[in-house]
Amino acid sequence: MTEIQDSLWQAATIMLTGMVVVFIFLTSLIFLVKLLAKVAGEESTVNVSTDVISSPSVNEGALSPTLVAVISSAVVQYRQRHLK
C-alpha cells in the first residue's frame, strides 16, 4: 500500500509544482505585457490625417465597362482552355 501512496504523493507534488510554475509564468507574462503597453503606448503616438482623398463620384458602385469586358474575355479564355 505504501508504494501506491508514494506514487500518488509524487504525482500530486509534480502536479502542484507544474501548476505553480504555470501560474508564475502567466502572472509575469501579464505584468510584462502591461508594462510593454505603457512603454510602447507613450512612444507610438501617430498623427492621423483627417484629409479625405476624393474619388470620382461617377458610378461609385459600378465597374467600368472596359474592366467588365477584360474580365469577361479572361473568363471565356479560361473556360475554353480548361473546360474541354
Side-chain angles (χ1 to χ4, degrees):
M1 196 68 169
T2 60
E3 184 178 325
I4 293 175
Q5 288 177 348
D6 290 340
S7 295
L8 288 174
W9 182 253
Q10 185 179 13
T13 304
I14 292 172
M15 180 185 69
L16 287 176
T17 303
M19 291 173 70
V20 168
V21 168
V22 169
F23 178 77
I24 291 172
F25 172 76
L26 291 176
T27 304
S28 63
L29 183 66
I30 290 170
F31 173 74
L32 291 174
V33 167
K34 287 184 178 183
L35 180 67
L36 181 64
K38 286 182 181 179
V39 171
E42 294 172 0
E43 293 178 7
S44 65
T45 55
V46 178
N47 294 332
V48 178
S49 176
T50 58
D51 295 337
V52 177
I53 300 173
S54 62
S55 60
S57 61
V58 178
N59 294 333
E60 282 188 26
L63 298 174
S64 69
T66 308
L67 182 60
V68 172
V70 169
I71 293 173
S72 297
S73 84
V75 169
V76 169
Q77 287 179 3
Y78 176 81
R79 287 181 179 165
Q80 288 175 351
R81 291 181 186 165
H82 297 286
L83 299 178
K84 288 186 177 181

